Amino acid sequence: MTTQQRPLGSGLDRDSTADQALGAADLTGKTVVVTGASSGLGTETARVLAQAGAKIIAAVRSPERAKAALAGVKNVQIEQLDLADPASIDAFVARVEATGTPVHILINNAGVMACPLARDARGYEMQFATNHLGHFQLTAGLWPALKRANGARVVTLSSGAHRRSPVLFDDINFETTEYEKFKAYGQAKSANALFSVGLDQRGQKDGVRAFAVHPGIIHDTNLFHFLSSEEMSQTAGALGATKTIPQGAATTVWAATSPMLEGHGGVYCENGDIAEGVPADKQTPGGVRPWAVDPALADRLWSVSEKMTGKSFPG
């Protein structure tokens, strides 16, 4: 079943917090993997889901930072994971798979934003490699665990910045095109949204549903590490008013837990609801552009991602 790209009337809005989005959800006995849980939105997401009874596997680059950030949060297991390092991803997956545990919710939260031109060891542009390819490989590796859940959700953080660029299939790695950091970020965020479309299409038969979320603009996170104060102001102006961290984590928590989304998937969400699909030339913030939810583009990205990572999803 294909879910229409239009709000469901959740009752939440841009000011709702992650605790409000959780509502009365009971996650006792559920296992949740959260990437980037050592700061910001990842920490808040892990805290709220743990509060609902879930076991949290915090997948982070810096376990020491995660220990400090998640101090006092019960039922958290901290594991090292570098999404820019394929070997690190495989090692993390192997550790999870060795336990035989099902993964009921996967939160693909970690990412980098608007960094200077950098490439991973394979020569891939760093924002696309980390934000999309790393999570593609991680999700592929965790696929058996997601299927074991007999009803799992994968929530991948996209961004309103997807409107800055579709996926540049002719030059994803900026090998011939002049690098522009916000364009590269927009491409990666469009890829995150398309990944959710493709994943949901493939996962429905195994009870795995996928959602992309735009958390909003939250300046109090490490995501803005590479931006000057002037660039931060310009970003907020281009993409909408800023949110607090609890407000920013709300849509992620809603997509991961809301009973309203039973039977739904493959959609882009914002402000605690499914977002409106909007025209490609819309100039104001809000909504999702066609190139981020197009099934044909999602299939094309899927094939490209398999080739670039050398990974495919088990049948």
Side-chain angles (χ1 to χ4, degrees):
M1 171 186 279
T2 300
T3 300
Q4 293 186 333
Q5 191 66 55
R6 64 178 59 168
L8 295 175
S10 69
L12 301 175
D13 57 31
R14 71 166 309 281
D15 296 321
S16 299
T17 65
D19 284 309
Q20 291 170 329
L22 178 70
D26 182 2
L27 301 180
T28 303
K30 307 292 188 182
T31 297
V32 181
V33 175
V34 184
T35 68
S38 60
S39 66
L41 298 179
T43 299
E44 178 69 357
T45 299
R47 180 193 70 79
V48 171
L49 298 181
Q51 178 180 286
K55 173 188 175 181
I56 306 296
I57 301 177
V60 298
R61 279 199 306 169
S62 172
E64 290 305 314
R65 282 181 54 206
K67 288 176 185 177
L70 295 167
V73 179
K74 296 181 179 180
N75 211 16
V76 174
Q77 173 183 333
I78 297 173
E79 294 284 347
Q80 202 278 333
L81 170 69
D82 184 348
L83 288 164
D85 180 356
S88 176
I89 299 170
D90 286 346
F92 171 81
V93 166
R95 294 194 299 273
V96 173
E97 191 60 22
T99 69
T101 186
V103 171
H104 300 86
I105 301 171
L106 169 59
I107 309 289
N108 290 326
N109 166 83
V112 295
M113 174 181 173
C115 60
L117 178 60
R119 302 189 185 280
D120 70 2
R122 301 165 296 189
Y124 299 155
E125 189 276 316
M126 190 60 76
Q127 294 188 73
F128 189 83
T130 302
N131 298 349
H132 170 60
L133 293 178
H135 282 124
F136 181 92
Q137 180 176 340
L138 174 66
T139 308
L142 292 177
W143 197 243
L146 289 163
K147 289 171 63 175
R148 282 197 295 271
N150 294 315
R153 292 189 190 180
V154 178
V155 180
T156 300
L157 269 69
S158 181
S159 169
H162 77 273
R163 72 186 182 95
R164 292 179 179 268
S165 179
V167 175
L168 306 171
F169 287 104
D170 292 335
D171 191 19
I172 284 174
N173 293 305
F174 291 87
E175 294 170 326
T176 59
T177 306
E178 182 179 359
Y179 180 74
E180 200 282 300
K181 62 185 181 181
F182 286 112
K183 189 173 187 178
Y185 183 64
Q187 169 181 244
K189 295 293 102 178
S190 288
N192 289 146
L194 288 174
F195 171 57
S196 297
V197 174
L199 183 66
D200 191 73
Q201 181 184 20
R202 291 160 176 80
Q204 286 186 48
K205 63 181 175 59
D206 294 311
V208 182
R209 304 308 301 260
F211 304 88
V213 303
H214 168 41
I217 305 302
I218 304 96
H219 281 173
D220 192 22
T221 73
N222 290 335
L223 189 64
F224 286 81
H225 171 73
F226 293 105
L227 301 190
S228 66
S229 57
E230 180 180 357
E231 287 175 323
M232 288 172 66
S233 297
Q234 291 173 346
T235 299
L239 298 178
T242 60
K243 293 183 179 184
T244 65
I245 287 175
Q247 290 169 341
T251 306
T252 298
V253 170
W254 180 76
T257 65
S258 176
M260 289 188 73
L261 289 171
E262 290 295 330
H264 293 286
V267 287
Y268 174 101
C269 306
E270 63 182 1
N271 295 328
D273 208 333
I274 297 175
E276 287 279 5
V278 299
D281 60 357
K282 183 176 185 282
Q283 297 300 308
T284 53
V288 60
R289 276 58 180 177
W291 59 73
V293 289
D294 184 313
L297 293 178
D299 284 343
R300 185 177 182 186
L301 177 65
W302 196 275
S303 296
V304 168
S305 302
E306 287 183 330
K307 290 176 182 177
M308 292 179 76
T309 62
K311 303 290 183 179
S312 59
F313 281 59

